[in-house]
Each structure stands twice: as structure tokens, then as C-alpha cells.
Amino acid sequence: MDITINKQLVQKGEKDQDFTPVFNINNLNLWYGQDHALKDIKFDIPEKQVTAIIGPSGCGKSTFIKTLNRMVEMVPIVRMSGEIVYRDKNIFDPKYGVEELRTQVGMVFQKPNPFPKSIYDNVAYGPRIHGIKNKKVLDEVVEKSLRGAAIWDEVKDRLNENAYGLSGGQQQRLCIARCLAIEPDVILMDEPTSALDPISTLKVEELVQELKKDYSIVIVTHNMQQAARISDRTAFFLNGEVVEYTDTSTLFSNPSDKRTEDYITGRFG
Amino acid sequence: MVVRENFQLQLEEMKQAIVQISKLTEEALELSVDALKNQDLDKALQIIENDNRINVLEDEINDMAILLIAKQAPVASDLRRIIAAIKISSDIERMADFAVNIAKSTIRIGKEELIKPLEELPKMAHHAINMLRTATKAYIDEDVALAKELGELDDFVDETYGKIIKELLELMTQHPEQLSQISQLLFVCRYIERTADHATNIAESIIFLVKGKRYGLND
């Protein structure tokens, strides 16, 4: 019995890329003016798994995650080449609307950023923009999203209170609920727990494990233990390049690149 | 500035503790063979008494490892280094127990005249002790090639073991009145063979430490 389990573990490490991709990134390059921030990025992001992006400050990980929903284009001096294919469509194709993309690819940020509105209105915001006016339908979406973000029990009796009255950890889960309300396919998370206390952090981590049953998640994190705990695959970025991208167990137990080893063992960065 | 200098120092400290426990065990094994050969009961008692130091040192190494895991959240080669230290110290401690077992057998045989002068047995024992020495060197230098040599060295011990056992069993039928002494020698022979096996376990841990891959040397 033990031997079988062992074999499976070994195979998990060896069988690379055995998944259905939600994103294919091909030779992606990005410049901020003269600064070459992403260099020939090429890898696939799996469906319904958690993909962690780690690396030292300034390595391009936040830039990278922001290209996935084309948020990076809001920076005026950005230039890009290469392609990002989301479910068989190149997201840079002019025919592909950015709104449509962002409906599919939601995002949660480093600092919780609820709107200065009630808890209810925060979650209902997206669906309303998409034209849902029926109160009953909205009620259902709000409850489902808040439950999905594991915060329903804490807020169900005060849905009409201002979201600013929630704790930081609750605000972050509210933002996740707001993201779920538009029923995305992919959730991007840019250091979603770096402003939270340890218990709130663990709650969000638990939530991510739940969410991956239904969503594909890409998470940028400075917390390497967090990447090790919650992700299925990890990409190590350094100076705008992907140094190593493999299943998380392998990356944290026996990385193949010396630079990865030095970074995760804390010998630099 | 060296990042994680303190952690590095603690890992080095743990390594030195392993070298120390290995040295003490090597001495204990040498003494036990000496005591057996010369039927020196005082020496045998000394080995049993000294064993406590080795047990305490193993506990200390385990405590260091536990604290490093708890405080430093080690990954990759750091983690393997700590896991290897736990396993290697446990193997060495078992070897020291065999030295105690040999000492106990020596005491049981007592001053009764040996059925024949011991030649092959001490030779095999020294070979096994040399394996511990080699394993320790491979550990210090993280030398995979040297660690792999232990597999071959163990084959020699296994062969000698088979020969001696056969000889002792023949002696048993010829001298049933010496059954007790011969049984003790059979045990000693077994202890030495097991000692060599633990040296190959150490070699496997070293390969795991360096390469991150498992490698069977006892097959």
C-alpha cells in the first residue's frame, strides 16, 4: 500500500504539464518605457487549480498577473508582444472586448478595497452593472457569493451596514465575494493576505482551497509558506523571467534551478 | 551581509553534533570488539556505561532539528539536511546500541575459554566500523560517490557474515556443551552485520540530502 502511494507521489513530480490549461502564455514580453519587465514568458496555467507566482520585489510577478486581465494596459507607457490565450482566444485580439475578459477573469487586490457602500451593495454592484435588477435574483446572488467567500455567517444580520465597518480580513473576503458575484472563470489574487493578520490569512487560504473546486486561481504572494501550503503549481519569477515552473511539491522540496533553491531557502532576495 | 547567517550556523552546529555522535559510536564499537577479543569485562562494562552519552546526544540532535523546523520553516535542501540529520543520528545511535549488545555478550561469555581464537569476527567488525567512518566522511563532505561505495563495502560484510555463521553452526554440533558461548558469538556476528546495514542507511540519507532522490543500497 505504502509503495503505491509513494509511486503516485513520484509520478506527480515527474508528470509535468498533465492538465487542461485555462491560459496559454506564449513568448510574452512587456516593457515599461525602456524597462523590459517581462521577458519571453511562456507557460500554461491549469484549470481549477491554484497557481502561485513567487519571486523577489520587482521581478515582474504583479505585472504578469495584471496582464492576464489586461489591467496592465492602464499604465500609459506599456508595450507588449507575444500572446496570452484564454480558452482558445488571444486576449489581445482587438475583437475581444476587455469587459468580456474581465467578466471572466476577476481580481482581488493586496489591500481590501470595498466600495463605500453597504455590504449588500458591494456584492450586488457587479450583477447590477450586468443588468440584473430583480431584487430576488440579487438577494440570491449576494447570499451565494457571501457564502462562497465564507463570510455569510458573519455578515448576514448586517447586510445594510457600511462595508468599512468590517475588519480587514472580513473586507478582503467581502472583496472575494464581490468578485464571485459576477461568476468569473478565473480569479487573480495579488498578494491577497499581505495586509491581513495571521488568522484572517489562514481563513483566506482555506477559502482558496474551497474556491479551486469551481475556479482557476492565480495568486501572487510574498509568503513562500503560503505558496507551499495552498498552490498546486508554482512559478518562480526573477528579473522578469520565469526561472522555474513546476508542481509546488517539487519546487519546495527539490527545485531544479540553483536560483530557485537560493530564493526559497532565503539565501537571497 | 550573509542572509540567514544564524540559521546557517545552527545547521553547522547540528552537523558537528552528528560528527561527534559518530566519533563516540566508532570508539564504542572499537572498544566492544577489543573487549570481546580479550575477554575484558571491565572494558565491556565501561561501554554500557558510556552509552548514555550517545543517547543524550541523539536527543539533542533531534531537539535541534525540531526547533529548526519550527522556527526556520526550512524548505528544499535545508529541509533535507535536517531530515537527514534526524535519520543519520538515529542510525548511529542504533549502531552504538550494538556496541552495548556486543559488550553484554562479552559479559555473558565471561572468562570462559573461547572455543577458538577470534579472527574473522574482529576483521568483519573492523570492516563495519570502517564503514561508519566512511559514511561519516561522506556526510561531512556531502560526497555522493563515496556514499555509494558503502553498498559494495556492505556486500563484503554480508559474505563474511554468511561464512562465520556457517562455521559457528558447525561448531555447535561438534561442541554442544559450548552452546551458550557459541550462541553469544552468533548474536555478536548478527550485531556486526546490522551495524554495517545502518552504515548503508546513512549513505542513503546522504544521497537524499544531496540529490533529493531516494537510492536503495541495502537491496
Side-chain angles (χ1 to χ4, degrees), chain A residues 252-254 261 265-267, chain B residues 3-4 8 76-78 80:
Chain A
F252 282 96
S253 61
N254 196 14
E261 169 95 25
T265 59
R267 296 313 195 274
Chain B
V3 187
R4 299 193 92 176
Q8 199 62 52
S77 63
D78 289 337
R80 297 203 303 273

Side-chain angles (χ1 to χ4, degrees), chain B residues 21-167:
Chain B
I21 195 176
S22 163
K23 237 193 165 85
L24 289 173
T25 301
E26 190 187 313
E27 282 168 17
L29 284 165
E30 295 273 15
L31 274 181
S32 71
V33 181
D34 223 35
L36 175 74
K37 210 174 157 187
N38 301 315
Q39 297 186 278
D40 185 338
L41 305 190
D42 288 340
K43 217 176 237 179
L45 281 170
Q46 190 64 44
I47 294 158
I48 297 168
E49 216 164 274
N50 287 351
D51 188 51
N52 191 40
R53 266 177 76 194
I54 293 171
N55 294 340
V56 169
L57 193 50
E58 192 213 359
D59 287 344
E60 283 174 8
I61 292 166
N62 278 334
D63 288 345
M64 283 184 209
I66 289 166
L67 285 180
L68 284 174
I69 291 171
K71 293 181 177 178
Q72 302 284 357
V75 292
S77 63
D78 289 337
L79 181 58
R80 297 203 303 273
R81 198 157 272 132
I82 294 168
I83 299 298
I86 295 172
K87 295 184 75 169
I88 290 173
S89 62
S90 156
D91 276 315
I92 294 177
E93 191 275 336
R94 282 302 292 146
M95 291 162 117
D97 286 344
F98 290 132
V100 169
N101 290 342
I102 294 170
K104 284 181 179 166
S105 288
T106 303
I107 292 167
R108 287 198 185 102
I109 292 168
K111 291 287 187 189
E112 184 189 23
E113 195 188 337
L114 291 173
I115 191 155
K116 61 170 274 196
L118 300 177
E119 279 165 17
E120 286 292 308
L121 199 64
K123 217 195 264 174
M124 174 181 161
H126 285 123
H127 196 83
I129 294 166
N130 186 42
M131 283 174 70
L132 170 60
R133 212 173 289 132
T134 307
T136 307
K137 185 166 184 339
Y139 171 69
I140 293 170
D141 301 337
E142 296 188 2
D143 184 340
V144 171
L146 188 60
K148 281 184 178 169
E149 283 178 21
L150 280 154
E152 283 165 36
L153 293 175
D154 188 44
D155 292 344
F156 175 81
V157 172
D158 288 344
E159 270 170 42
T160 319
Y161 173 68
K163 261 198 292 194
I164 300 176
I165 291 287
K166 203 173 156 214
E167 192 187 344

Side-chain angles (χ1 to χ4, degrees), chain A residues 23 25 28 30 32 38 62-76 78 80 82-86 89-107 109 186 188:
Chain A
F23 276 111
I25 296 108
L28 176 69
L30 184 145
Y32 290 117
L38 294 177
S62 284
T63 297
F64 170 73
I65 200 174
K66 283 177 196 152
T67 60
L68 296 178
N69 67 349
R70 291 181 52 185
M71 238 183 70
V72 76
E73 292 169 26
M74 292 158 108
V75 183
V78 156
M80 277 186 279
E83 64 170 14
I84 296 179
V85 177
Y86 165 68
K89 284 186 202 159
N90 185 354
I91 65 167
F92 299 128
D93 186 333
K95 279 181 271 173
Y96 196 1
V98 73
E99 292 79 14
E100 188 192 337
L101 175 70
R102 289 187 196 151
T103 306
Q104 295 299 318
V105 184
M107 189 153 188
F109 298 86
V186 181
L188 308 176

Side-chain angles (χ1 to χ4, degrees), chain A:
Chain A
M1 189 63 194
D2 277 345
I3 295 165
T4 331
I5 293 168
N6 232 335
K7 258 186 192 163
Q8 280 170 347
L9 277 178
V10 172
Q11 276 168 357
K12 203 178 161 199
E14 287 170 355
K15 236 196 226 169
D16 220 16
Q17 296 282 72
D18 183 19
F19 54 75
T20 312
V22 59
F23 276 111
N24 312 92
I25 296 108
N26 290 318
N27 304 322
L28 176 69
N29 282 279
L30 184 145
W31 294 262
Y32 290 117
Q34 294 300 310
D35 181 20
H36 198 173
L38 294 177
K39 299 166 191 161
D40 288 321
I41 307 290
K42 187 173 175 9
F43 68 97
D44 295 343
I45 291 173
E47 183 183 49
K48 290 186 182 169
Q49 289 190 24
V50 179
T51 304
I53 313 283
I54 62 167
S57 294
C59 69
K61 53 190 190 302
S62 284
T63 297
F64 170 73
I65 200 174
K66 283 177 196 152
T67 60
L68 296 178
N69 67 349
R70 291 181 52 185
M71 238 183 70
V72 76
E73 292 169 26
M74 292 158 108
V75 183
I77 52 168
V78 156
R79 278 186 302 126
M80 277 186 279
S81 71
E83 64 170 14
I84 296 179
V85 177
Y86 165 68
R87 299 217 181 264
D88 300 330
K89 284 186 202 159
N90 185 354
I91 65 167
F92 299 128
D93 186 333
K95 279 181 271 173
Y96 196 1
V98 73
E99 292 79 14
E100 188 192 337
L101 175 70
R102 289 187 196 151
T103 306
Q104 295 299 318
V105 184
M107 189 153 188
V108 176
F109 298 86
Q110 182 172 7
K111 274 171 81 178
N113 56 351
F115 302 131
K117 292 168 178 285
S118 71
I119 294 167
Y120 184 99
D121 287 343
N122 261 278
V123 183
Y125 188 85
R128 277 181 179 140
I129 281 188
H130 284 91
I132 299 175
K133 292 197 176 77
N134 185 316
K135 176 81 167 79
K136 201 166 161 260
V137 176
L138 281 177
D139 284 353
E140 275 171 18
V141 169
V142 169
E143 179 173 343
K144 193 178 161 209
S145 307
L146 289 168
R147 279 189 191 279
I151 190 181
W152 172 252
D153 288 338
E154 291 161 65
V155 299
K156 64 182 177 203
D157 298 325
R158 46 174 175 151
L159 291 175
N160 293 319
E161 288 176 23
N162 194 298
Y164 283 5
L166 297 172
S167 73
Q170 287 172 329
Q171 286 187 16
Q172 192 63 306
R173 279 178 287 144
L174 175 66
C175 292
I176 294 171
R178 188 176 63 190
C179 176
L180 299 183
I182 54 162
E183 297 187 328
D185 178 27
V186 181
I187 303 174
L188 308 176
M189 296 182 161
D190 192 358
E191 296 181 43
T193 62
S194 60
L196 305 184
D197 68 83
I199 299 298
S200 302
T201 297
L202 290 175
K203 281 184 185 165
V204 172
E205 288 184 7
E206 286 294 319
L207 176 58
V208 167
Q209 293 299 300
E210 275 301 308
L211 291 174
K212 77 168 184 180
K213 292 174 191 156
D214 301 305
Y215 306 91
S216 310
I217 297 168
V218 185
I219 180 168
V220 165
T221 177
H222 269 300
N223 181 338
M224 278 181 282
Q225 288 301 317
Q226 178 172 74
R229 274 195 297 269
I230 67 173
S231 72
D232 299 292
R233 300 182 65 79
T234 301
F236 170 54
F237 276 59
L238 185 66
N239 300 326
E241 287 175 70
V242 178
V243 170
E244 192 162 348
Y245 174 56
T246 184
D247 68 280
T248 300
S249 314
T250 303
L251 194 123
F252 282 96
S253 61
N254 196 14
S256 57
D257 196 290
K258 171 90 169 59
R259 292 167 294 174
T260 315
E261 169 95 25
D262 284 349
Y263 182 68
I264 63 169
T265 59
R267 296 313 195 274
F268 83 85

Side-chain angles (χ1 to χ4, degrees), chain B residues 121-214:
Chain B
L121 199 64
K123 217 195 264 174
M124 174 181 161
H126 285 123
H127 196 83
I129 294 166
N130 186 42
M131 283 174 70
L132 170 60
R133 212 173 289 132
T134 307
T136 307
K137 185 166 184 339
Y139 171 69
I140 293 170
D141 301 337
E142 296 188 2
D143 184 340
V144 171
L146 188 60
K148 281 184 178 169
E149 283 178 21
L150 280 154
E152 283 165 36
L153 293 175
D154 188 44
D155 292 344
F156 175 81
V157 172
D158 288 344
E159 270 170 42
T160 319
Y161 173 68
K163 261 198 292 194
I164 300 176
I165 291 287
K166 203 173 156 214
E167 192 187 344
L168 285 172
L169 289 176
E170 276 166 16
L171 281 173
M172 257 187 183
T173 50
Q174 289 159 15
H175 303 275
E177 75 287 356
Q178 299 270 46
L179 203 61
S180 164
Q181 186 191 110
I182 299 169
S183 316
Q184 291 303 331
L185 292 174
L186 276 172
F187 286 146
V188 168
C189 199
R190 177 70 178 154
Y191 299 145
I192 295 167
E193 191 270 337
R194 292 297 300 142
T195 300
D197 285 345
H198 281 279
T200 57
N201 284 355
I202 295 174
E204 288 170 0
S205 293
I206 294 164
I207 297 168
F208 172 70
L209 185 170
V210 178
K211 297 273 189 189
K213 291 200 175 97
R214 307 212 190 283

